[in-house]
Amino acid sequence: MKLLQLNMWGGRLEPQILKLVTSEDPDILCLQEAIDLKGGKGALFVTTEEIQEAIGAKYAYVSPNFSLRFMSRTANFSNCILSKFPIKHKETIFTGNQYIADFDWLNHSSNIRNLQRVAIKLPDGRELNVLNHHGYHNHQHKRGDEETMRQCGIIANKIKELKNPVILGGDFNLEPHSESLELINKLLRNLTIEAGLTTTRTPLTHKTEVCDYIFVSEDIKVTRFKAVEEIVSDHQALVLNFE
């Protein structure tokens, strides 16, 4: 099976994103900064609906952080999990601030954060927990602070509750060995660290840090993990093949 993790950068590189997801053809996608816009193409960006159709994923779970008007429709700025296998259980936990229905860039903070958790029923009947998160953004550095400690603590507590295998994907806006991320590193294998990645950013930004991750529990057998070289965002896509 294959999982793809990507901060979509608002989906602005539509042709590149669609080409990547079509060629990689993942079974599961964990997406951040995704735009959910029902009723056709977004014109200025690729939507979750278009990606879902491109890979033939029958199941989608969208967790908006905020929504705003886009022409005559509503665009939801979201975390999103797409799956070719049935999603049996799902929940959204807001780790920082709360959903805003009528978002205004001038009057609201976009630092609204949530954690998605779904239980996916695999072909053999077992269930896999897939978690997806976009971490709190400290604009000064990626070392973390009290707020990232609090939010990573919420994620760690959720992981401890789960019985079945776990995969967690996300842009955490944290350095690999930051004190906040260590709360999760102690519970799950951090494949980004194990692979020795020195950056998860692309030439579309001046930033060069590692901040995108896939974590797995010990009962997940990793057969391949890589950062994708194709530029589809200001973040690299991460791909996991697993059993």
Side-chain angles (χ1 to χ4, degrees):
M1 289 180 286
K2 183 187 287 189
L3 179 143
L4 187 147
Q5 145 66 30
L6 176 65
N7 178 322
M8 288 181 54
W9 202 30
R12 64 192 74 184
L13 298 184
E14 177 177 1
Q16 293 91 332
I17 292 173
L18 289 176
K19 181 180 179 181
L20 174 68
V21 298
T22 302
S23 62
E24 288 290 345
D25 192 27
D27 300 295
I28 304 167
L29 285 84
C30 291
L31 304 172
Q32 305 89 46
E33 294 190 19
I35 307 296
D36 182 60
L37 181 72
K38 297 295 187 286
K41 293 186 176 183
L44 302 177
F45 45 81
V46 64
T47 68
T48 58
E49 193 173 53
E50 291 175 272
I51 296 174
Q52 185 178 359
E53 181 179 353
I55 65 167
K58 293 183 178 179
Y59 306 93
Y61 183 42
V62 177
S63 300
N65 288 313
F66 57 84
S67 303
L68 65 165
R69 296 299 297 169
F70 179 75
M71 299 181 187
S72 62
R73 291 179 283 170
T74 299
N76 301 301
F77 194 86
S78 312
N79 289 331
C80 177
I81 297 173
L82 302 177
S83 174
K84 293 182 179 178
F85 306 121
I87 294 175
K88 305 302 293 183
H89 308 285
K90 54 192 176 183
E91 61 180 320
T92 300
I93 301 166
F94 276 86
T95 58
N97 298 313
Q98 292 295 319
Y99 168 77
I100 296 176
D102 189 15
F103 186 84
D104 185 332
W105 290 101
L106 296 178
N107 296 314
H108 298 129
S109 168
S110 62
N111 226 338
I112 303 167
R113 298 295 186 247
N114 71 53
L115 170 70
Q116 293 184 293
R117 197 278 298 191
V118 300
I120 293 175
K121 187 173 183 180
L122 303 177
D124 64 4
R126 290 184 294 178
E127 289 190 357
L128 169 69
N129 288 297
V130 176
L131 288 74
N132 182 34
H133 179 62
H134 188 192
Y136 175 85
H137 186 201
N138 181 322
H139 295 274
Q140 306 304 316
H141 55 75
K142 303 293 185 185
R143 297 187 300 275
D145 54 24
E146 291 183 2
E147 182 59 19
T148 61
M149 282 291 290
R150 187 189 68 80
Q151 295 195 27
C152 284
I154 294 172
I155 298 169
N157 288 336
K158 172 52 64 175
I159 293 168
K160 292 174 185 177
E161 294 177 4
L162 302 175
K163 306 296 183 182
N164 294 312
V166 173
I167 299 177
L168 165 62
D171 164 16
F172 277 73
N173 280 310
L174 288 168
E175 296 175 355
H177 293 288
S178 60
E179 186 178 3
S180 301
L181 205 64
E182 285 294 338
L183 296 176
I184 299 170
N185 291 340
K186 292 176 182 178
L187 301 175
L188 301 173
R189 293 174 58 191
N190 186 326
L191 301 183
T192 298
I193 291 177
E194 291 184 12
L197 297 185
T198 57
T199 183
T200 58
R201 306 307 295 265
T202 74
L204 296 180
T205 175
H206 67 279
K207 300 176 182 179
T208 60
E209 73 276 356
V210 173
C211 58
D212 301 272
Y213 301 93
I214 294 180
F215 303 83
V216 298
S217 54
E218 292 293 340
D219 40 13
I220 299 289
K221 180 180 178 181
V222 176
T223 57
R224 184 183 67 148
F225 172 78
K226 69 172 184 176
V228 175
E229 293 183 1
E230 290 86 345
I231 297 175
V232 297
S233 168
D234 61 341
H235 292 256
Q236 290 180 308
L238 305 178
V239 174
L240 166 67
N241 288 77
F242 67 96
E243 297 176 3

